Amino acid sequence: MTIIKPAILGLWLIPSASLFAAPWTFEGAIDVSAADTDNHYFHHLDSSGRRNIAVSEQTIAIAWEDDRDGIPRIYLAYKQTNEAGFTHEQRVSGKGEAYEPSLIALSRGRFVIAWEELGQIHARMVSVDGRLSLGPITRIDSAPSAQVNLSVDEDRIVAVWSQRSGRYGRIQVKRLVPGDKGGLKPGNGCAVDSVPPSDEQLYPSAIISDSRIIVTWEDRRPKHTIIMAAVEQRKSACVFSEPLRISEKPAGRNLPYGSGHGVSRVALEGYGKRGAFAVWADKRDFRDGYDIWGAHFLPVENRFGSNEKVQDDFGGLAKQRHAAITGDKNGTLVVAWDDEREGGSDVVLSWHEDGEWSEDWIVSVASGEGLQSNPSILLDSQGNLHIAWIDRQSIGGATRLKYAFGRHQKTQ
């Protein structure tokens, strides 16, 4: 006799999120880098802030890490928008162990990619003009460092990362300037929090808004993980406001969280003229695992507002992880994550419109049989939605790196 747990039965009675309409029509999923069916290596899309996909002009690029030759290294694949598949693939890191690439696009088919290699932060320019051209590798920080995140506004580039400062990680920020011969020049930089850390500061994510930098990160100074943020005080000054907590403590009596409930892996994105939204996985409802929560930046008040739940109530009995976010100048804002409400792991979207989050929508090409996880998403200048994710048929099975293009209905 099969016993159905009440929570699982409840999920069966919930309407599928795929029944709701979305602004995008997705073409079929394609391989970015095919699986090694012998399970010798695995793909990873797990960068700080989850920026692994970028579009410049007519070129789509995706960066990831895998260990196909026995050592974790960083790879980049690209294709033109009119090409059927990713036929171009290139290793971009050096000879050492390398992890967690972050990728942003500049103008004229140029990209910047940053990563951790041998415990330090490196970056390089990549150009695509008929063929791939790799600029020289620049070491951004020679101290022990990890978890780099890149952001860009036009051709202004910012890198943030966690640098070992004594016992703890401390969030650093530095501007990068495109130089001659495809190189990068490190500009001015500083610690985001002027007070030396009393516990870990990890996994930062940043944007440039109105020429000022906004930084968010995981912080463990209350002896549990919270999300904090700081804002550059003046344009290009590298002097930041006092860090403030943006993940709120649940109201009411103390619940069995230990020191406090857990949060994980903030991602930050701008939208519209001066808007920004930070999103993270949040375990304030400790009975159901992580949910997706976030907060809007309030530019007039120079702070983040009240927390709001991004996912809908139908996802309340399932686990959600790996939140990614994208926005555009027209004010569109989209969040994606992997979600277990259908019994496996699917990529689910919600978008912000008319002041509210939409019903959750399961991406048809990144759902169903097998496990789909770790999405990275990007809106292009036409409002089309690009998604990359990890696909595997079973837990521990071979991975494939997948991509799908969602054409906005207004462009059809």
Side-chain angles (χ1 to χ4, degrees):
M1 178 180 178
T2 301
I3 298 175
I4 300 176
K5 295 182 180 180
I8 301 300
L9 178 59
L11 286 177
W12 287 359
L13 298 177
I14 291 172
S16 169
S18 61
L19 297 177
F20 302 103
W24 304 276
T25 301
F26 280 90
E27 300 175 356
I30 60 176
D31 284 326
V32 179
S33 184
D36 170 25
T37 55
D38 293 329
N39 287 6
H40 290 160
Y41 69 89
F42 299 93
H43 305 87
H44 296 103
L45 281 177
D46 204 28
S47 63
S48 189
R50 302 195 180 280
R51 292 196 178 113
N52 294 90
I53 185 168
V55 176
S56 178
E57 313 298 344
Q58 301 301 310
T59 303
I60 303 164
I62 298 174
W64 72 96
E65 172 256 306
D66 71 48
D67 57 346
R68 67 185 68 184
D69 61 359
I71 298 176
R73 303 188 195 276
I74 307 306
Y75 297 87
L76 181 138
Y78 68 95
K79 78 177 196 72
Q80 301 304 306
T81 55
N82 60 357
E83 292 180 326
F86 288 85
T87 57
H88 315 284
E89 186 174 315
Q90 176 71 43
R91 192 182 97 192
V92 295
S93 62
K95 296 180 180 180
E97 292 188 0
Y99 302 94
E100 298 178 336
S102 185
L103 179 70
I104 53 96
L106 306 180
S107 59
R108 306 191 307 276
R110 299 174 300 154
F111 301 85
V112 177
I113 183 170
W115 66 92
E116 172 201 345
E117 184 169 345
L118 294 175
Q120 298 174 335
I121 302 302
H122 299 74
R124 77 189 312 173
M125 291 266 291
V126 176
S127 299
V128 179
D129 184 9
R131 62 182 182 85
L132 185 70
S133 176
L134 298 177
I137 295 176
T138 299
R139 186 168 60 183
I140 297 175
D141 190 350
S142 58
S145 300
Q147 302 158 5
V148 64
N149 171 260
L150 293 176
S151 58
V152 64
D153 180 24
E154 296 180 348
D155 280 356
R156 296 186 292 271
I157 310 163
V158 163
V160 291
W161 66 94
S162 179
Q163 180 196 83
R164 283 288 107 186
S165 178
R167 294 175 57 190
Y168 305 117
R170 187 180 192 181
I171 304 305
Q172 302 285 322
V173 61
K174 184 173 289 187
R175 284 178 165 84
L176 305 178
V177 181
D180 297 333
K181 299 180 180 179
L184 286 170
K185 296 179 180 179
N188 63 321
C190 60
V192 173
D193 188 351
S194 62
V195 178
S198 58
D199 212 314
E200 297 285 8
Q201 299 175 6
L202 303 169
Y203 292 106
S205 185
I207 63 166
I208 306 169
S209 178
D210 194 24
S211 298
R212 297 187 303 164
I213 305 168
I214 305 173
V215 186
T216 58
W217 68 91
E218 291 185 16
D219 198 299
R220 297 181 181 172
R221 68 187 76 184
K223 306 308 175 186
H224 67 99
T225 306
I226 61 175
I227 305 300
M228 297 195 77
V231 182
E232 195 174 28
Q233 296 292 77
R234 300 184 304 278
K235 296 178 180 180
S236 304
C238 211
V239 176
F240 284 80
S241 63
E242 179 183 353
L244 296 176
R245 177 174 177 170
I246 64 174
S247 61
E248 298 169 340
K249 181 180 179 180
R253 64 183 179 85
N254 291 329
L255 293 173
Y257 299 125
S259 298
H261 78 283
V263 296
S264 177
R265 301 300 294 273
V266 63
L268 177 67
E269 187 60 276
Y271 67 97
K273 291 184 178 179
R274 296 179 64 193
F277 192 79
V279 65
W280 62 88
D282 194 302
K283 208 173 183 180
R284 66 185 68 189
D285 188 349
F286 68 97
R287 294 159 296 188
D288 299 323
Y290 285 102
D291 299 316
I292 307 302
W293 284 74
H296 289 275
F297 182 67
L298 308 176
V300 174
E301 301 176 38
N302 210 37
R303 64 177 181 87
F304 282 84
S306 299
N307 292 183
E308 53 191 63
K309 201 172 187 178
V310 175
Q311 71 188 67
D312 63 24
D313 291 339
F314 294 145
L317 298 178
K319 295 177 182 178
Q320 287 80 27
R321 301 183 181 89
H322 305 137
I325 188 169
T326 185
D328 65 18
K329 298 295 185 181
N330 295 321
T332 304
L333 185 63
V334 186
V335 172
W337 63 90
D338 42 85
D339 193 300
E340 297 182 0
R341 73 183 68 189
E342 297 287 322
S345 178
D346 303 312
V347 175
V348 171
L349 298 179
S350 182
W351 52 96
H352 196 257
E353 59 183 1
D354 299 327
E356 296 182 348
W357 290 99
S358 71
E359 300 284 357
D360 298 345
W361 190 78
I362 296 177
V363 182
S364 59
V365 295
S367 61
E369 182 179 351
L371 305 170
Q372 288 74 216
S373 66
N374 293 88
S376 182
I377 59 176
L378 181 77
L379 286 164
D380 64 25
S381 60
Q382 303 300 311
N384 303 312
L385 185 60
H386 305 259
I387 304 182
W389 71 94
I390 302 296
D391 174 87
R392 63 201 322 163
Q393 291 303 300
S394 61
I395 297 175
T399 60
R400 280 184 168 85
L401 181 56
K402 293 283 191 177
Y403 163 85
F405 173 73
R407 187 178 302 278
H408 199 284
Q409 292 178 4
K410 69 180 181 181
T411 65
Q412 294 184 9

